[in-house]
């Protein structure tokens, strides 16, 4: 068939161009990677009716349906109305004026998360509950950002490899009177975490609070509930990771010991920051690059604007990422080619 | 003497009692469980009837009231010592029949064993009265009926919790005084008559079989399954082991206090002797020691089994080692050994 397709528009509509002419792959968001299992049948129907029968687990926990013909897109979009209304509007409180025409934006990527404390014995938080709360702050949105939520510092949720990665952590309470001095927490902390515990000469535990990562291994192993998590949930927020062909890098800590409330205030500022960097002209550029253009200090200023930090919160004074430069001096170029941020910034991409 | 009380009246009496008694009951500690957003239920002083957790088994046993996990027992100076003091308040503990029976088991160790009374246990025990919580359903890991610990009679009062009040049977005369203006109502406490888990009690006929049991491969699986955390023994209502630690001034080691703290046969180092000798070298050994102690060795000495079938060890094991299943495996091993042809050795 002789196609005339605006593939940028189909991409924004979450239909990804295939190597096979006229075919597309539908990417359906699954905020927090966890859904009512009834949607499996729903997705299966799309695969069998309009796709080529294959199904792919999206790398960001999307439902990926390959082999959809361009002509089928309106029918698929009409069919996924129920999904958008159930998952985005109903489950995540996303404001969508139009649910008739499929996904409206691809900018804010699917928010990934591990299973979290719904199931996992290691997790400190309900990961997908947080993902679902962040969802309406970044979707629909044309500014590209990758977000992940991990339930504990094991980081199966890959918080270290996203623009923003949240890791659920817990502040521990030590009930000395319940401690039997077995030293199991000391071993667990040194084997699995940062080794901040020590059995003192009186058979109780001394803790070096400064380097506790809040993982909860002490609580998991304690036979007597001498270590318990405080009820308030805390997070470490990692920043600025990226993969790719130029300068891959792992995230560094931006915030630690912040509450969920702080995180939600933070993401409410993300569209504001992105818009400022790109001078209100969204382009296909991920969050980490926007931070690079603005510089960390400017990023911090805009992102923390009006955010009320909880008393325990700590913020990175500066961040020094370590990049894998695939070409030496990749950032060294004529001044005229430097990317600019803020008012008057022109697209250099 | 039976009484029926509204929650309001019961709380009013509770407040009166609190002038004379410390009142302990299983209480919920939210989000303090091993896993995130799980609770534990342990014994603590209560201020109202509503605080008592009646619909779930407590994570930890009421032994913590009489035998605290950490207890300062005496203070010492250069040439003398004095025991810690206690206030004059008496103690009421709400506990289930299995836990009341577990008192008897611990008390054979702490009181009278070898003709000696444990001063620190005894002085607390003398202040205590039990309020028996009626328990007619139990939980999946309970096997009190098999152990014969589903019933208890040595209580000061027995209680049934209703949605809007309580029914009481008050036997203790001193307690009866608090109910002078409460209308009498007939109440006879009931007991559980059958558990979901039924355990056949191991019968080890002689020392030869016992020795064969010790060498039996049934214990080997625990080398990889048990992590030696000791959670089973801390939650156990009958474990009595403790160790003592002296806390002393860093600049004058002759002055300080002596504490005793729970210990556990399941944790590393428990049976390490001076000189480094270790009796039970593997987790199979420590498991065998614990299991035989609970359902055989103690009985050989005192005539009754140590285990009361509360199932807390199973509930607390992070590795899903079920004590009742272990007893079943032990029964199989005994049968296997007893049915073997007698060897020459």
């Amino acid at each position: 068939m002789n196609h005339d397709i605006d593939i940028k528009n189909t991409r924004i509509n979450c239909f990804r161009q295939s190597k096979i002419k006229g075919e597309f792959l539908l990417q359906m968001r699954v905020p927090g990677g966890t859904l009512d299992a009834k949607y499996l049948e729903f997705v299966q129907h799309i695969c069998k009716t309009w796709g080529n029968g294959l199904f792919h687990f999206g790398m960001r926990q999307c439902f990926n349906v390959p082999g959809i013909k361009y002509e089928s897109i309106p029918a698929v979009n009409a069919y996924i109305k129920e999904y958008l209304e159930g998952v985005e509007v109903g489950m995540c409180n996303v404001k969508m004026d139009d649910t008739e025409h499929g996904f409206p934006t691809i900018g804010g990527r699917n928010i990934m998360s591990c299973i979290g404390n719904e199931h996992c014995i290691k997790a400190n938080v309900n990961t997908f509950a947080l993902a679902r709360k962040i969802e309406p702050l970044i979707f629909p949105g044309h500014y590209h950002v990758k977000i992940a939520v991990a339930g504990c510092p094991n980081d199966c949720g890959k918080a270290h490899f996203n623009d923003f990665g949240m890791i659920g952590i817990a502040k521990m309470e030590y009930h000395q009177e319940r401690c039997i001095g077995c030293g199991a927490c000391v071993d667990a902390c040194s084997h699995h975490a940062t080794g901040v515990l020590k059995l003192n000469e009186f058979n109780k535990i001394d803790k070096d609070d400064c380097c506790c990562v809040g993982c909860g291994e002490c609580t998991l192993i304690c036979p007597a509930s001498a270590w318990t998590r405080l009820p308030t949930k805390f997070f470490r927020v990692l920043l600025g990771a990226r993969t790719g062909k130029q300068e891959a890098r792992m995230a560094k800590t931006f915030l630690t010991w912040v509450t969920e409330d702080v995180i939600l205030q933070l993401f409410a500022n993300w569209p504001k920051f992105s818009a400022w960097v790109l001078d209100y002209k969204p382009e296909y550029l991920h969050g980490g690059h926007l931070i690079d253009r603005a510089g960390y200090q400017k990023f911090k200023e805009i992102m923390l604007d009006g955010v009320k930090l909880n008393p325990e919160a700590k913020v990175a004074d500066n961040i020094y990422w370590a990049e894998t430069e695939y070409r030496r001096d990749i950032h060294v170029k004529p001044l005229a080619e430097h990317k600019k941020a803020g008012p008057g910034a022109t697209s250099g991409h | 003497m039976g009484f029926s009380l509204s929650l309001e009246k019961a709380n009013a009496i509770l407040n009166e009692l609190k002038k004379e008694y410390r009142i302990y009951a299983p209480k919920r500690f939210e989000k303090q469980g091993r896993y995130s957003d799980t609770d534990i239920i342990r014994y603590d002083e209560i201020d109202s009837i509503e605080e008592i957790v009646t619909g779930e088994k407590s994570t930890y046993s009421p032994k913590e009231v009489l035998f605290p996990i950490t207890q300062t027992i005496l203070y010492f100076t250069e040439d003398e010592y004095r025991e810690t003091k206690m206030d004059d308040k008496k103690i009421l503990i709400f506990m289930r029949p299995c836990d009341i029976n577990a008192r008897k088991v611990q008390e054979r160790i702490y009181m009278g064993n070898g003709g000696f009374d444990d001063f620190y246990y005894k002085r607390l025990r003398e202040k205590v009265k039990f309020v028996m919580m009626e328990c007619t359903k139990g939980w999946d890991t309970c096997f009190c009926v098999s152990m014969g610990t589903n019933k208890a009679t040595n209580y000061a009062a027995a209680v049934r919790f209703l949605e809007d009040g309580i029914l009481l049977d008050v036997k203790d005369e001193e307690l009866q005084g608090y109910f002078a203006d409460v209308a009498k109502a007939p109440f006879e406490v009931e007991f559980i008559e059958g558990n979901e888990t039924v355990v056949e009690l191991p019968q080890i006929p002689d020392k030869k079989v016992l020795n064969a049991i010790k060498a039996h491969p049934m214990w080997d699986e625990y080398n990889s399954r048990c992590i030696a955390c000791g959670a089973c023994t801390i939650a156990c209502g009958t474990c009595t082991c403790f160790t003592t630690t002296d806390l002393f001034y860093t600049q004058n080691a002759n002055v300080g206090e002596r504490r005793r703290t729970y210990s556990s046969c399941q944790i590393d180092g428990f049976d390490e002797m001076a000189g480094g000798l270790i009796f039970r070298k593997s987790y199979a050994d420590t498991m065998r020691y614990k299991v035989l102690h609970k359902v055989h060795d103690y009985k050989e000495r005192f005539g009754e089994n140590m285990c009361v079938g509360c199932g807390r060890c199973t509930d607390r094991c992070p590795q899903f080692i079920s004590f009742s299943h272990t007893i079943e495996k032990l029964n199989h091993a005994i049968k296997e050994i007893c049915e073997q042809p007698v060897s020459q050795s």
Side-chain angles (χ1 to χ4, degrees), chain B residues 136-154:
Chain B
T136 55
K137 292 200 181 84
W139 289 272
D140 55 353
T141 56
C142 299
F143 52 99
C144 55
V145 177
S146 301
M147 301 313 295
T149 55
N150 54 321
K151 293 179 184 172
T153 49
N154 56 329

Side-chain angles (χ1 to χ4, degrees), chain B residues 73 82 114 143 146 149 158 171 189 210 219 227 263 269 293 295 304 328:
Chain B
I73 54 176
R82 116 174 137 62
F143 52 99
S146 301
T149 55
K171 289 206 295 197
V189 69
L210 183 64
W219 308 107
I227 59 167
S263 189
H293 192 55
V295 296
E304 260 184 68
E328 247 173 66

